[in-house]
Amino acid sequence: MSAKILIVEDEPAIQELLSFNVMQAGFQALRAEDAESAWQQIRDAVPDLILLDWMLPETSGVVLARQLRSDARTRDIPIIMLTARGDERDKILGLESGADDYITKPFSPRELMARIRAVLRRHMPVMPDETVAAGGLELSPASHRVTAKGATIELGPTEFRLLHFFMTHAERVYSRTQLLDQVWGTQVFVEERTVDVHIRRLRAALEPVEMDGLIQTVRGSGYRFSTH
Ligand code: CA
């Protein structure tokens, strides 16, 4: 069964173009023109990835991304944000709203497909199934669950992979580039500061159980998971 990609885009011509390219690449295309119809589509079938336009009528793409991230059923669906805005602040805001990647309009279909494949690849369960424990955290790839002090920690898919990598490679320092290669996979489009955004999100998720200190910044080098 090929991956189902939900396209949320209000401009008919762009929606058509996206849908055409998605199907050409062998995926199934589902379409929605606003947040409400997106939720209708999701109720029918949970997609494998969502292409989400930033500028939507009524509920914006950023707001919808946040809603998707706060709903248990949709939390793990990877999101690629489509934006006409190129500036850095907006990119970061897009990522912080819960998107896994973003692409600026106008985009080339080739670049878009490369990003879709990259995002799908890193959401495929390639990690071994055994539960990992470190620093008081317990991470189970099989159930996609992280617990600490009896509480479940809610993580997005990228943070989950990042934490899994850290927990299985504790006490060693990794540069942003190394983390991109290890956690995101070797793809050319993701910028190094994306790592910082996900580190921030991971720490925020660990804060309620006072475990954010496990993820340490090593000035000039990168990051380290350490229980010391
Ligand atoms: Ca739009």
Side-chain angles (χ1 to χ4, degrees):
M1 199 66 169
S2 62
K4 280 193 286 288
I5 298 181
L6 174 60
I7 298 157
V8 189
E9 166 64 77
D10 60 311
E11 284 153 72
I14 299 177
Q15 193 196 81
E16 186 66 43
L17 176 74
L18 289 168
S19 169
F20 175 79
N21 281 295
V22 158
M23 289 190 295
Q24 278 282 350
F27 301 115
Q28 299 176 60
L30 308 166
R31 304 191 204 190
E33 68 280 353
D34 55 23
E36 200 193 328
S37 57
W39 280 111
Q40 270 166 19
Q41 290 277 9
I42 292 163
R43 266 193 290 276
D44 292 343
V46 175
D48 298 294
L49 183 144
I50 299 175
L51 284 178
L52 179 56
D53 183 30
W54 178 301
M55 301 295 279
L56 290 171
E58 287 156 48
T59 308
S60 78
V62 172
V63 172
L64 179 55
R66 289 207 181 100
Q67 292 172 347
L68 289 162
R69 281 294 171 257
S70 61
D71 187 313
R73 211 171 150 237
T74 54
R75 194 171 53 216
D76 297 333
I77 307 171
I79 299 170
I80 298 178
M81 191 85 82
L82 304 167
T83 170
R85 311 165 173 218
D87 78 83
E88 203 57 30
R89 228 192 71 240
D90 286 335
K91 288 178 182 175
I92 300 299
L93 179 62
L95 288 172
E96 284 181 339
S97 69
D100 295 89
D101 200 358
Y102 53 83
I103 190 162
T104 309
K105 294 178 189 173
F107 46 81
S108 79
R110 245 184 86 200
E111 186 186 358
L112 177 70
M113 286 310 132
R115 290 200 186 203
I116 288 176
R117 288 202 184 89
V119 169
L120 284 174
R121 204 183 313 125
R122 67 178 194 251
H123 284 87
M124 292 300 168
V126 285
M127 32 177 113
D129 270 356
E130 70 237 47
T131 299
V132 190
L137 289 169
E138 219 174 85
L139 179 148
S140 160
S143 66
H144 212 276
R145 202 175 270 270
V146 180
T147 52
K149 300 177 179 169
T152 299
I153 294 162
E154 306 294 348
L155 291 180
T158 305
E159 287 73 55
F160 188 86
R161 288 183 68 92
L162 189 57
L163 182 60
H164 183 263
F165 177 77
F166 274 139
M167 289 175 73
T168 50
H169 299 80
E171 310 301 337
R172 267 177 278 171
V173 182
Y174 290 91
S175 69
R176 291 171 178 79
T177 311
Q178 286 172 324
L179 288 172
L180 282 175
D181 285 350
Q182 296 289 334
V183 179
W184 278 256
T186 38
Q187 49 161 318
V188 289
F189 302 116
V190 178
E191 293 166 32
E192 286 198 3
R193 72 168 59 191
T194 301
V195 175
D196 302 335
V197 172
H198 289 279
I199 291 275
R200 212 147 59 219
R201 276 200 234 167
L202 179 55
R203 282 184 179 141
L206 295 174
E207 218 181 329
V209 289
E210 295 171 332
M211 288 183 173
D212 48 312
L214 289 169
I215 314 294
Q216 302 173 353
T217 302
V218 182
R219 298 257 167 255
S221 302
Y223 296 102
R224 166 179 64 205
F225 180 95
S226 175
T227 55
H228 305 301

